[in-house]
Amino acid sequence: MEEYEPRTIESKWQRRWEEAKLYRTEADEDSESFYIIFAYPGISGFLHLGHMRCYSYTDFIARYKKMRGYNVLFPAGAHPTGNQVISLAKRVREDDPDIIAYLKANGATDEDILFLDNPDGIIEYFSRSYIKEWKNFGIQINWDHFTYTSREDYSKFIQWQFRKLKEKDLLTQKPYYAPVCKNCGPVAVDPSETDLSKGGNAEIQEYTLLKFKFGNRYITAATLRPETVYGQTNLWVSPEEDYAVVEVAGEEWIMSEAAAQKLLYQMDDVEVTDHIKGEEMIGEKATAPMIHRDIPILPADFTDPDVGSGIVTSVPSDAPYDWIALKELKDNHGLLEKYGLEDIVKDVEPIEIIESEGFGTNPAESIIKEMGITSQNEVEKLEEATQKIYRAGFHKGKMLDISGEYTGMPVQEAKDNIKDDMLDSGEADMFYDLSEEVICRCGTDVVMGKIPDQWFIRYSDEELTEKSKAHAKKMNIKPETYANTLPDTLEWFQDRSCARLGNWIGTRFPMDKRWIIEAIADSTLYPAYYIIAKHYNDDKFQADQMTVEFFDFVYLGKGEISQVSESTGIDIEVLEKVRNDFLYWYPLDINLGGKEHMTVHFPVFLMNHVSILKEEHWPRGILVNWYLTMTGGKISKSKGGAEPIPDVADRFGIDTLRLYYAHSASPFVDKEWDEKEAFTYRKRLGFMWRLINRIKSADGGGSSVDDFLESRFNRLLEKAFSFMDDHEIRKAANVVFYDIPAELEWYFKRGGENSALLDRLGETLIKLTAPFTPHMADELGEMWDIEYVTEEQIPEVRQEAISDAAEGREEYLRSVLDDIRNILSIADVEGDTIHIYVTPSWKKEVLKKALTETEKGMGLMAVLSKELDVPPKKLSGFLRSVLEDIKKNRAAAVSAMALDEMKILQEDKSFIEREFEAEVNVHLASEDVYDPANRKDKAAPGKPAIYIE
RNA sequence: GCGGGGGUAGCCAAGCAUGGCCAAAGGCGAUAGACUCAAGAUCUAUUCCCAUAGGGGUCCGAGGGUUCAAAUCCCUUCCCCCGCACCA
């Protein structure tokens, strides 16, 4: 037997598979199709072990389905849409040392890097790198279908898709607020975003900008709690601050300079025309919105020009900051005197507006007392207090009777109503801001900007939502929890912006060429495109021939083939072939992707199918996989932290890594990468290698253990199939790599050597391993003269071989061994001779009666005592324990009945002797035999008495 | 905030839907032994506590409850984690 050398085997088989083009599959009406994809990767860096988990799962399922008789289509592509590619190229161009180091660490040469200073170079280099990595992992993708989203042909497909959405009235334009860099344009605010140098965790705040009439001008105050307007008592202004006066649509608004600068990006025709010192407003009054009451303007130093408008409306009843500031102001006589505020301030008192559970009607005051806050300098405590009150108020609060038409309304509801009313009456406007400072890579601030005519896909559409929900319920979605939540996700899924202005990679919006379709929107229907991509790759037609009529025909069956052929210049036969391929492969059986897709990609994937394709082409299944993590959190392509794959692959071998993915955790939990653990899988494969060789070298005939092995093997085979069909990858791998081998080991231990049987089961076993560890399977298959195990079918379960009786015998032996071992471990004996006493027949009689007439309970005693010649005391004692056992485990009692224990023990006596290196004597307990310790009375059906000396 | 998922023995991780073969699979680690006497190798056994005869005790985040019987069902409570739209 040769040693297991994974790397040699793996390169050998990968080469052969490639040469034989085993990945290739064609539509074939005679066999059932199975179409599976994984969510293609965006191009933003090298693949790492985290990605490979997802691709490996896809491959396990694809290979398994293939080996179960399906005709499988498993294509792949890449997704360069967006600006990641552009920013990567830019960083290379700028010789960013981090990026250069990252590229080199992953095997890029200096020459490669020269090539990577432009987006096209990046796309080409990385898509090649991805393909190489997939091949290296033995992932059997059908390369004929490969495509990526920046190709001309792909764009034709996307444009068609958007025309269809437009036709169905699912596109709309409306204003939108999104983060923009003042210099570079739109950016994403996200912790993993490489285009930011600061502030990835910032959240978008939606303020209501309240307008207070102040002479001819308006003072503005931004609030997150518009429902508290009824409790306004005053405004807080910083005396030292130099506020800007901004002209907006013929009005003059007062706000901090910083706020004014932000406003420039959110409203049209905004201009700073003047400035006003905070001091000048102190002591004056302004008319508050909604309540139309004049409230005083008071000095405060906690206002921050960078937050909101830099001016705060004060609601001391519900805002701890306001409450404590007001209190401190009242006590600060020096300050009051300075501005002449004594008379004004003494009348300012909190106004109760909301009643919330646990805090009463004056929540700010009660929480401040509760938390012992004494000064506005206790910022942390005040923040916490504010949060607590907000939560209590928002969820459980009710508006008090001061709030006019909103009286009694839950806060949750009142909030939006009050806001909308003020927006309608022009007393307020919207103002967007980021919760913390965000800086672009270029060093410029990121602010919230308005896009007045943003394109949206109308996912809120009721009909679309309902149809999608109904279909989602019919789909095969794993895990179960996601199947349950997807309909809800579809329900709250709102309109989604689908295009953006600026220089991005992607498809031009067909109705308005200024826009580029963004990355989520151009990757929803693409499984349908892979089918066409193959024919485009074969040069059957050019991109400019891919017209609306072409796609309508292929996907929707619209139009006359001859006419379509004429208008597009594509051969009729080609059109027919493409259309038939689509009909054959579609619908998609499984879309497999990471958990990050649950609330983003999968919903739109489904809804676009529902909105555009016919019902029979809507997807059948979704499978979600969780992450492979590394200490320090999620692995990120762009941020590194992951060991380059080639190094890991060399050390462990690909099959080891594949088995690691398959077995170390369920697909539906995050898994921490653990090298030591990976090594144990390397050892496991060594074990499998030797086991299969051992199987092949068997040269014996039949024995009593054969039926057991055959039965157990088929039972486990059935289990493996059912786990695979359920996408319970880990459980299936456990059966194949652990449970079945354990039974084979027992078989050998018991002296099984049936070469015919082992040959057959061994062949099935390597086929079972093939979806997981295909290289090893093919190598081992050579012993069976199989050209490609991975191209074979896994045999069906032989139901007729499954037998409780055959397995019962071995179970019984195992339990006898366990008992002997147990006794040996606690008893102080030599262990040279083992006496085994088999149950007397009357005990079997009792068990039999008890099993058939359990309900009679102890009433059986009378019957049995007549039938059996056994002392009543012994009989009742045994009967009681038998009834107990049956109650606990009826099945075990039944199988104990079926055993011919005497026969089994006598036949397998030598086996027990070998195991314990002892002499074994088997007795019948009912006979007068050697029994110095008086054990034989303990013998019961299925559990012989044992005496060791 | 909205939505979701968890807490099981030294660690990882099954089980929980359909309560009873559950002291609780499997793996890792650890211990002992075998073999080699080099190995992250391989094999065997042990690994909650007590026990010189196959037994007993305690246990599945915490606290209650239902039941003849609960890791599994119900209630309360504490603690962790994850996703959330121009990031793919």
PDB file of all heavy atoms in Angstrom, chain A residues 784-800:
ATOM      1  N   TRP A 784     -10.344  -0.340  -8.107  1.00  0.00           N
ATOM      2  CA  TRP A 784     -11.542  -1.018  -8.632  1.00  0.00           C
ATOM      3  C   TRP A 784     -11.606  -0.923 -10.171  1.00  0.00           C
ATOM      4  O   TRP A 784     -12.642  -1.185 -10.752  1.00  0.00           O
ATOM      5  CB  TRP A 784     -12.798  -0.409  -8.034  1.00  0.00           C
ATOM      6  CG  TRP A 784     -13.206  -1.016  -6.712  1.00  0.00           C
ATOM      7  CD1 TRP A 784     -14.129  -2.012  -6.540  1.00  0.00           C
ATOM      8  CD2 TRP A 784     -12.737  -0.687  -5.408  1.00  0.00           C
ATOM      9  NE1 TRP A 784     -14.255  -2.322  -5.213  1.00  0.00           N
ATOM     10  CE2 TRP A 784     -13.407  -1.524  -4.485  1.00  0.00           C
ATOM     11  CE3 TRP A 784     -11.787   0.216  -4.911  1.00  0.00           C
ATOM     12  CZ2 TRP A 784     -13.184  -1.469  -3.105  1.00  0.00           C
ATOM     13  CZ3 TRP A 784     -11.576   0.261  -3.544  1.00  0.00           C
ATOM     14  CH2 TRP A 784     -12.262  -0.573  -2.655  1.00  0.00           C
ATOM     15  N   ASP A 785     -10.518  -0.414 -10.723  1.00  0.00           N
ATOM     16  CA  ASP A 785     -10.474  -0.171 -12.169  1.00  0.00           C
ATOM     17  C   ASP A 785     -11.587   0.757 -12.642  1.00  0.00           C
ATOM     18  O   ASP A 785     -12.154   0.567 -13.712  1.00  0.00           O
ATOM     19  CB  ASP A 785     -10.558  -1.489 -12.951  1.00  0.00           C
ATOM     20  CG  ASP A 785      -9.297  -2.304 -12.745  1.00  0.00           C
ATOM     21  OD1 ASP A 785      -8.210  -1.685 -12.674  1.00  0.00           O
ATOM     22  OD2 ASP A 785      -9.406  -3.536 -12.631  1.00  0.00           O
ATOM     23  N   ILE A 786     -11.904   1.723 -11.786  1.00  0.00           N
ATOM     24  CA  ILE A 786     -12.908   2.707 -12.207  1.00  0.00           C
ATOM     25  C   ILE A 786     -12.160   3.900 -12.771  1.00  0.00           C
ATOM     26  O   ILE A 786     -11.242   4.417 -12.136  1.00  0.00           O
ATOM     27  CB  ILE A 786     -13.764   3.135 -11.001  1.00  0.00           C
ATOM     28  CG1 ILE A 786     -14.522   1.937 -10.447  1.00  0.00           C
ATOM     29  CG2 ILE A 786     -14.727   4.240 -11.402  1.00  0.00           C
ATOM     30  CD1 ILE A 786     -15.245   2.226  -9.141  1.00  0.00           C
ATOM     31  N   GLU A 787     -12.571   4.334 -13.930  1.00  0.00           N
ATOM     32  CA  GLU A 787     -11.840   5.438 -14.548  1.00  0.00           C
ATOM     33  C   GLU A 787     -12.013   6.726 -13.742  1.00  0.00           C
ATOM     34  O   GLU A 787     -11.042   7.378 -13.383  1.00  0.00           O
ATOM     35  CB  GLU A 787     -12.311   5.648 -15.984  1.00  0.00           C
ATOM     36  CG  GLU A 787     -11.395   6.612 -16.739  1.00  0.00           C
ATOM     37  CD  GLU A 787     -11.834   6.814 -18.176  1.00  0.00           C
ATOM     38  OE1 GLU A 787     -12.958   6.393 -18.506  1.00  0.00           O
ATOM     39  OE2 GLU A 787     -11.048   7.389 -18.951  1.00  0.00           O
ATOM     40  N   TYR A 788     -13.296   7.083 -13.508  1.00  0.00           N
ATOM     41  CA  TYR A 788     -13.578   8.248 -12.675  1.00  0.00           C
ATOM     42  C   TYR A 788     -14.705   7.899 -11.710  1.00  0.00           C
ATOM     43  O   TYR A 788     -15.852   7.795 -12.135  1.00  0.00           O
ATOM     44  CB  TYR A 788     -14.032   9.439 -13.520  1.00  0.00           C
ATOM     45  CG  TYR A 788     -13.011   9.917 -14.512  1.00  0.00           C
ATOM     46  CD1 TYR A 788     -13.185   9.698 -15.878  1.00  0.00           C
ATOM     47  CD2 TYR A 788     -11.877  10.608 -14.087  1.00  0.00           C
ATOM     48  CE1 TYR A 788     -12.255  10.151 -16.795  1.00  0.00           C
ATOM     49  CE2 TYR A 788     -10.939  11.056 -15.004  1.00  0.00           C
ATOM     50  CZ  TYR A 788     -11.129  10.828 -16.355  1.00  0.00           C
ATOM     51  OH  TYR A 788     -10.213  11.269 -17.256  1.00  0.00           O
ATOM     52  N   VAL A 789     -14.360   7.719 -10.462  1.00  0.00           N
ATOM     53  CA  VAL A 789     -15.402   7.466  -9.460  1.00  0.00           C
ATOM     54  C   VAL A 789     -16.408   8.604  -9.478  1.00  0.00           C
ATOM     55  O   VAL A 789     -17.613   8.409  -9.355  1.00  0.00           O
ATOM     56  CB  VAL A 789     -14.767   7.355  -8.052  1.00  0.00           C
ATOM     57  CG1 VAL A 789     -15.841   7.344  -6.970  1.00  0.00           C
ATOM     58  CG2 VAL A 789     -13.909   6.111  -7.973  1.00  0.00           C
ATOM     59  N   THR A 790     -15.888   9.806  -9.671  1.00  0.00           N
ATOM     60  CA  THR A 790     -16.739  10.994  -9.602  1.00  0.00           C
ATOM     61  C   THR A 790     -17.743  11.069 -10.752  1.00  0.00           C
ATOM     62  O   THR A 790     -18.622  11.918 -10.754  1.00  0.00           O
ATOM     63  CB  THR A 790     -15.879  12.268  -9.596  1.00  0.00           C
ATOM     64  OG1 THR A 790     -14.921  12.178 -10.651  1.00  0.00           O
ATOM     65  CG2 THR A 790     -15.123  12.380  -8.288  1.00  0.00           C
ATOM     66  N   GLU A 791     -17.596  10.209 -11.738  1.00  0.00           N
ATOM     67  CA  GLU A 791     -18.561  10.168 -12.839  1.00  0.00           C
ATOM     68  C   GLU A 791     -19.556   9.020 -12.676  1.00  0.00           C
ATOM     69  O   GLU A 791     -20.406   8.805 -13.528  1.00  0.00           O
ATOM     70  CB  GLU A 791     -17.839   9.997 -14.180  1.00  0.00           C
ATOM     71  CG  GLU A 791     -17.039  11.199 -14.598  1.00  0.00           C
ATOM     72  CD  GLU A 791     -17.923  12.368 -14.988  1.00  0.00           C
ATOM     73  OE1 GLU A 791     -18.643  12.275 -15.990  1.00  0.00           O
ATOM     74  OE2 GLU A 791     -17.906  13.377 -14.250  1.00  0.00           O
ATOM     75  N   GLU A 792     -19.392   8.251 -11.609  1.00  0.00           N
ATOM     76  CA  GLU A 792     -20.232   7.073 -11.414  1.00  0.00           C
ATOM     77  C   GLU A 792     -21.514   7.424 -10.645  1.00  0.00           C
ATOM     78  O   GLU A 792     -21.644   8.518 -10.111  1.00  0.00           O
ATOM     79  CB  GLU A 792     -19.458   6.028 -10.607  1.00  0.00           C
ATOM     80  CG  GLU A 792     -18.175   5.569 -11.265  1.00  0.00           C
ATOM     81  CD  GLU A 792     -18.391   4.329 -12.110  1.00  0.00           C
ATOM     82  OE1 GLU A 792     -19.029   3.395 -11.616  1.00  0.00           O
ATOM     83  OE2 GLU A 792     -17.932   4.316 -13.265  1.00  0.00           O
ATOM     84  N   GLN A 793     -22.408   6.453 -10.580  1.00  0.00           N
ATOM     85  CA  GLN A 793     -23.606   6.602  -9.758  1.00  0.00           C
ATOM     86  C   GLN A 793     -23.394   5.895  -8.424  1.00  0.00           C
ATOM     87  O   GLN A 793     -22.796   4.823  -8.393  1.00  0.00           O
ATOM     88  CB  GLN A 793     -24.810   5.956 -10.456  1.00  0.00           C
ATOM     89  CG  GLN A 793     -25.103   6.546 -11.819  1.00  0.00           C
ATOM     90  CD  GLN A 793     -25.593   7.977 -11.705  1.00  0.00           C
ATOM     91  OE1 GLN A 793     -26.635   8.216 -11.130  1.00  0.00           O
ATOM     92  NE2 GLN A 793     -24.821   8.926 -12.231  1.00  0.00           N
ATOM     93  N   ILE A 794     -23.898   6.481  -7.371  1.00  0.00           N
ATOM     94  CA  ILE A 794     -23.853   5.794  -6.078  1.00  0.00           C
ATOM     95  C   ILE A 794     -25.007   4.786  -6.068  1.00  0.00           C
ATOM     96  O   ILE A 794     -26.138   5.149  -6.383  1.00  0.00           O
ATOM     97  CB  ILE A 794     -24.032   6.775  -4.908  1.00  0.00           C
ATOM     98  CG1 ILE A 794     -23.026   7.916  -5.026  1.00  0.00           C
ATOM     99  CG2 ILE A 794     -23.874   6.057  -3.572  1.00  0.00           C
ATOM    100  CD1 ILE A 794     -23.240   9.037  -4.031  1.00  0.00           C
ATOM    101  N   PRO A 795     -24.730   3.533  -5.729  1.00  0.00           N
ATOM    102  CA  PRO A 795     -25.796   2.528  -5.743  1.00  0.00           C
ATOM    103  C   PRO A 795     -26.931   2.872  -4.792  1.00  0.00           C
ATOM    104  O   PRO A 795     -26.727   3.559  -3.796  1.00  0.00           O
ATOM    105  CB  PRO A 795     -25.087   1.245  -5.269  1.00  0.00           C
ATOM    106  CG  PRO A 795     -23.651   1.499  -5.441  1.00  0.00           C
ATOM    107  CD  PRO A 795     -23.441   2.973  -5.324  1.00  0.00           C
ATOM    108  N   GLU A 796     -28.101   2.381  -5.109  1.00  0.00           N
ATOM    109  CA  GLU A 796     -29.266   2.589  -4.252  1.00  0.00           C
ATOM    110  C   GLU A 796     -29.137   1.776  -2.966  1.00  0.00           C
ATOM    111  O   GLU A 796     -28.370   0.809  -2.898  1.00  0.00           O
ATOM    112  CB  GLU A 796     -30.536   2.145  -4.986  1.00  0.00           C
ATOM    113  CG  GLU A 796     -30.919   3.033  -6.154  1.00  0.00           C
ATOM    114  CD  GLU A 796     -31.260   4.458  -5.719  1.00  0.00           C
ATOM    115  OE1 GLU A 796     -31.800   4.627  -4.616  1.00  0.00           O
ATOM    116  OE2 GLU A 796     -30.966   5.387  -6.494  1.00  0.00           O
ATOM    117  N   VAL A 797     -29.927   2.154  -1.996  1.00  0.00           N
ATOM    118  CA  VAL A 797     -29.994   1.406  -0.742  1.00  0.00           C
ATOM    119  C   VAL A 797     -30.624   0.039  -1.018  1.00  0.00           C
ATOM    120  O   VAL A 797     -31.604  -0.053  -1.751  1.00  0.00           O
ATOM    121  CB  VAL A 797     -30.872   2.168   0.275  1.00  0.00           C
ATOM    122  CG1 VAL A 797     -31.067   1.342   1.541  1.00  0.00           C
ATOM    123  CG2 VAL A 797     -30.261   3.518   0.587  1.00  0.00           C
ATOM    124  N   ARG A 798     -30.044  -1.017  -0.472  1.00  0.00           N
ATOM    125  CA  ARG A 798     -30.663  -2.340  -0.608  1.00  0.00           C
ATOM    126  C   ARG A 798     -31.530  -2.596   0.616  1.00  0.00           C
ATOM    127  O   ARG A 798     -31.073  -3.122   1.625  1.00  0.00           O
ATOM    128  CB  ARG A 798     -29.585  -3.414  -0.728  1.00  0.00           C
ATOM    129  CG  ARG A 798     -28.806  -3.319  -2.044  1.00  0.00           C
ATOM    130  CD  ARG A 798     -27.813  -4.451  -2.172  1.00  0.00           C
ATOM    131  NE  ARG A 798     -28.480  -5.755  -2.090  1.00  0.00           N
ATOM    132  CZ  ARG A 798     -27.928  -6.833  -1.534  1.00  0.00           C
ATOM    133  NH1 ARG A 798     -26.726  -6.782  -1.009  1.00  0.00           N
ATOM    134  NH2 ARG A 798     -28.581  -7.975  -1.523  1.00  0.00           N
ATOM    135  N   GLN A 799     -32.788  -2.215   0.496  1.00  0.00           N
ATOM    136  CA  GLN A 799     -33.704  -2.326   1.635  1.00  0.00           C
ATOM    137  C   GLN A 799     -33.752  -3.748   2.180  1.00  0.00           C
ATOM    138  O   GLN A 799     -33.848  -3.960   3.382  1.00  0.00           O
ATOM    139  CB  GLN A 799     -35.122  -1.893   1.221  1.00  0.00           C
ATOM    140  CG  GLN A 799     -35.271  -0.404   0.985  1.00  0.00           C
ATOM    141  CD  GLN A 799     -35.098   0.415   2.256  1.00  0.00           C
ATOM    142  OE1 GLN A 799     -35.130  -0.124   3.370  1.00  0.00           O
ATOM    143  NE2 GLN A 799     -34.896   1.711   2.098  1.00  0.00           N
ATOM    144  N   GLU A 800     -33.671  -4.738   1.265  1.00  0.00           N
ATOM    145  CA  GLU A 800     -33.823  -6.134   1.688  1.00  0.00           C
ATOM    146  C   GLU A 800     -32.670  -6.587   2.582  1.00  0.00           C
ATOM    147  O   GLU A 800     -32.775  -7.597   3.280  1.00  0.00           O
ATOM    148  CB  GLU A 800     -33.959  -7.056   0.460  1.00  0.00           C
ATOM    149  CG  GLU A 800     -32.699  -7.218  -0.381  1.00  0.00           C
ATOM    150  CD  GLU A 800     -32.474  -6.062  -1.374  1.00  0.00           C
ATOM    151  OE1 GLU A 800     -33.139  -5.019  -1.264  1.00  0.00           O
ATOM    152  OE2 GLU A 800     -31.610  -6.214  -2.259  1.00  0.00           O
TER     153      GLU A 800
END
